Amino acid sequence: MRQLRGQERAITGNRQTSLAFAEAYGAGTIDGTTEAALRWSRDRAREAGVRTVTTGTGAALRLLAATVDAKAVAEIGTGTGVSGIYLLHGMRPDGVLTTVDCEPERQAFAKQAFRAAGFAGNRARFIPGRALDVLPRLADGGYDLVFCDGDLMECLEYLAESLRLLRPGGLVCFEGVFADGRTVDSAVQPAEVLRLRELLRAVRESTTLVPSLLPVGDGLLCAVKRG
């Protein structure tokens, strides 16, 4: 490996500091009640061995939901509710989050977390089951944002379903596209990383989507569906 020179080390260090600052920036922009609910939800996820979105990714999701004035959001991968809390905070006060997960126990934690964060019970619709079994039952063009944080091997199928579910001008987001740096690593990679590379290529080359890759958390791929 080539050794970095002094100026290059400084640039690399500054970039890492900037990314860390961006991750921490959104932490103080949510009220104390919600912060407590997020901590509780993250603790449940840690106990279950489930990864959650970072503070930076959560802040980005909240921003994106607010940007499209989201009234209807579909989430693939409820987890213990961390991402859902951020999405609900960005949505309209009358907005409804439809969240899908194959683990009902995790959804039960998410339901408690939403309630602790102050959201009424009618703000979220929990659907247990495999995403590719549930998504075809959701309404065409009925959603402002689709957030995908499910099985990486199914990401291309999620993309196809999202294009059907989204209204013109709606957003699709994929969490974890950096795969801990493996997506851009030239070494031999597992099938799920190869699948992510296909997803990145498909989104970038699509004439239907306007994409951007945000360097928050483990990579947040976003795209707007053209009108």
Side-chain angles (χ1 to χ4, degrees), residues 17-209:
T17 301
S18 297
L19 291 174
F21 178 69
E23 278 291 330
Y25 180 76
T29 60
I30 287 182
D31 62 89
T33 299
T34 303
E35 288 286 4
L38 284 168
R39 285 195 299 273
W40 183 89
S41 183
R42 290 187 191 280
D43 287 343
R44 302 294 79 73
R46 195 174 301 112
E47 291 167 1
V50 177
R51 289 180 62 164
T52 65
V53 298
T54 65
T55 300
T57 301
L61 291 174
R62 183 181 54 172
L63 170 71
L64 293 170
T67 298
V68 296
D69 194 27
K71 185 175 182 179
V73 172
E75 177 184 46
I76 301 170
T78 309
T80 57
V82 174
S83 53
I85 290 175
Y86 284 109
L87 288 166
L88 284 166
H89 258 281
M91 295 168 66
R92 290 167 45 166
D94 60 343
V96 176
L97 172 69
T98 298
T99 183
V100 181
D101 201 294
C102 58
E103 296 289 345
E105 183 180 354
R106 295 176 191 170
Q107 290 191 319
F109 286 139
K111 190 175 295 186
Q112 292 182 57
F114 293 174
R115 186 166 57 249
F119 297 110
N122 62 359
R123 292 294 309 279
R125 177 170 62 143
F126 295 89
I127 305 179
R130 181 171 171 264
L132 294 183
D133 294 330
V134 174
L135 295 177
R137 307 203 303 263
L138 303 184
D140 292 9
Y143 293 85
D144 305 298
L145 189 153
V146 179
F147 174 56
C148 305
D149 190 16
D151 186 343
L152 295 181
M153 290 301 295
E154 298 178 346
C155 60
L156 288 173
E157 288 79 6
Y158 297 161
L159 176 62
E161 286 293 334
S162 297
L163 289 175
R164 180 185 62 79
L165 294 173
L166 286 171
R167 63 165 173 81
L171 272 165
V172 59
C173 304
F174 289 86
E175 156 65 5
V177 296
F178 289 166
D180 295 320
R182 293 176 298 167
T183 304
V184 295
D185 192 331
S186 59
V188 176
Q189 298 297 336
E192 64 183 28
V193 175
L194 301 182
R195 196 72 164 166
L196 279 175
R197 290 174 181 171
E198 290 182 59
L199 171 70
L200 288 160
R201 184 164 51 250
V203 170
R204 185 174 58 188
E205 295 176 355
S206 171
T207 58
T208 309
L209 296 170

